Amino acid sequence: MFGRRALFTLMAGAGAIAITPASATPRVTTIPAGPEPTLVAVNSCLYVGNGDASLSILGSARVAIGGPPTDLAVDEGTGSVYVASEAAGTVTVLDPYGRIRTVIASGPGAAVVDLDRGKNRLYAAGGATGSVAVIDTVAGAVVDVLHGPGNGFGGIRVDSGRGVAYLTNVGAGTVEVLDLSSGEFTVSIPVGRAPAGLALHEPSNSLYVANSGIHHLSVIDGASHTERARILLRSEASSVAVHEPSHTVYANGGPDGIVKIDGAAGKITGELSLGINPGGIAVSGRTGTVFVTDPLHDQLYAINEI
């Protein structure tokens, strides 16, 4: 495991790449990752899900998890890492040092996960079914299975403070709202085609939805549960992340790269071409560094000042 000092030492030692920025001089470095990295999450450590059924904890370890990872969730308080594998139907739980604590059988196609951090609950939603496994993170066991609309979910975000979870219903082009206290799906919100990744800006109660089948990002008002805006992108986006302190949104919907959006204004303020179709995207809440996976070249981009 490494902290901020070690992370930036690693980044500084990585090789630079050629870029064609649309805004002023972003700083981009590359970090080697495992084969075909598709997922990234950042806390005090940097976690990357690889196509060979492994999780890289950069600067520390690479761990086999038994199936190709399809989503990551990190408990910022405990440092525990939860890795979903749709093919295996499991959630692998690791400690902050990359040691496997347990593997939880989570039902058919458990594909996407997020934490209700105040309640010691993890929600694992099926990519091929409309089911959601509720996992007690202390006991390490499934305590309930909820059944929702549709044939599979492509993304999930939990708003612990407001007691709801949002799940993208890929086939229906909707976001489903789950009331966490009752376990009932209460609202279905129409968005764009094939919605996938989600990001939540909790202070403004704004949800950003990456529609992987059309060139726009949907913005949902969490109070009214309606789509209040659509932000036109240069290409389809499947992954989106929010830097909460600045309300800045990043998505992999740029011209072979990423796009930066002022969340308060709802406008694109920058684009960065990386020359590839990027995979997962995450942003550090502490530093504002944006991390993007490059599955084609088995590496990760660390981007500052876009």
Side-chain angles (χ1 to χ4, degrees), residues 44-113:
S44 58
C45 294
L46 192 59
Y47 305 94
V48 181
N50 304 305
D52 67 343
S54 71
L55 177 75
S56 295
I57 305 172
L58 294 189
S60 176
R62 185 164 147 214
V63 184
I65 60 167
T70 49
D71 202 12
L72 303 173
V74 181
D75 189 322
E76 296 180 1
T78 67
S80 297
V81 185
Y82 300 87
V83 188
S85 175
E86 181 176 8
T90 60
V91 174
T92 301
V93 186
L94 301 94
D95 70 13
Y97 303 96
R99 296 175 298 209
I100 293 178
R101 285 177 171 162
T102 187
V103 178
I104 305 168
S106 305
V112 292
V113 289

Side-chain angles (χ1 to χ4, degrees), residues 237-293:
S238 59
S239 184
V240 59
V242 173
H243 182 243
E244 286 222 350
S246 64
H247 198 174
T248 304
V249 184
Y250 300 92
N252 62 348
D256 290 328
I258 66 169
V259 61
K260 175 184 177 182
I261 297 166
D262 181 329
K267 295 181 179 179
I268 293 175
T269 58
E271 292 179 336
L272 175 62
S273 176
L274 298 168
I276 51 97
N277 291 322
I281 188 167
V283 58
S284 169
R286 297 184 181 94
T287 67
T289 303
V290 180
F291 299 95
V292 184
T293 63

Side-chain angles (χ1 to χ4, degrees), residues 2 134 142 154 235 247 288 290 293:
F2 57 89
V134 184
V142 174
S235 66
H247 198 174
V290 180
T293 63

Side-chain angles (χ1 to χ4, degrees), residues 3-301:
R4 290 177 61 186
R5 183 185 299 272
L7 172 60
F8 286 106
T9 299
L10 174 64
M11 287 168 51
I17 63 168
I19 57 174
T20 55
S23 60
T25 61
R27 293 185 292 115
V28 183
T29 55
T30 59
I31 303 171
E36 299 179 359
T38 56
L39 306 169
V40 59
V42 59
N43 190 13
S44 58
C45 294
L46 192 59
Y47 305 94
V48 181
N50 304 305
D52 67 343
S54 71
L55 177 75
S56 295
I57 305 172
L58 294 189
S60 176
R62 185 164 147 214
V63 184
I65 60 167
T70 49
D71 202 12
L72 303 173
V74 181
D75 189 322
E76 296 180 1
T78 67
S80 297
V81 185
Y82 300 87
V83 188
S85 175
E86 181 176 8
T90 60
V91 174
T92 301
V93 186
L94 301 94
D95 70 13
Y97 303 96
R99 296 175 298 209
I100 293 178
R101 285 177 171 162
T102 187
V103 178
I104 305 168
S106 305
V112 292
V113 289
D114 201 16
L115 285 157
D116 186 351
R117 291 169 176 82
K119 300 291 179 62
N120 297 319
R121 290 291 186 268
L122 180 81
Y123 291 83
T129 69
S131 64
V132 181
V134 184
I135 296 170
D136 183 324
T137 58
V138 176
V142 174
V143 294
D144 199 1
V145 177
L146 311 176
H147 299 283
N151 297 317
F153 297 115
I156 181 172
R157 280 297 171 268
V158 172
D159 186 341
S160 297
R162 297 179 178 91
V164 297
Y166 300 97
L167 299 95
T168 50
N169 188 336
V170 181
T174 57
V175 170
E176 311 298 339
V177 182
L178 172 63
D179 183 302
L180 299 182
S181 61
S182 68
E184 299 290 333
F185 285 86
T186 58
V187 182
S188 185
I189 307 168
V191 287
R193 186 181 307 129
L198 297 165
L200 178 66
H201 184 252
E202 292 189 19
S204 67
N205 201 6
S206 299
L207 183 75
Y208 297 89
V209 185
N211 298 303
S212 65
I214 196 167
H215 289 212
H216 72 250
L217 195 74
S218 293
V219 185
I220 289 176
D221 175 36
S224 63
H225 290 158
T226 58
E227 184 189 59
R228 72 162 182 257
R230 292 184 173 185
I231 300 171
L232 185 63
L233 305 177
R234 296 281 292 276
S235 66
E236 300 92 341
S238 59
S239 184
V240 59
V242 173
H243 182 243
E244 286 222 350
S246 64
H247 198 174
T248 304
V249 184
Y250 300 92
N252 62 348
D256 290 328
I258 66 169
V259 61
K260 175 184 177 182
I261 297 166
D262 181 329
K267 295 181 179 179
I268 293 175
T269 58
E271 292 179 336
L272 175 62
S273 176
L274 298 168
I276 51 97
N277 291 322
I281 188 167
V283 58
S284 169
R286 297 184 181 94
T287 67
T289 303
V290 180
F291 299 95
V292 184
T293 63
D294 178 354
L296 184 62
H297 300 104
D298 300 340
Q299 62 190 11
L300 189 73
Y301 299 114

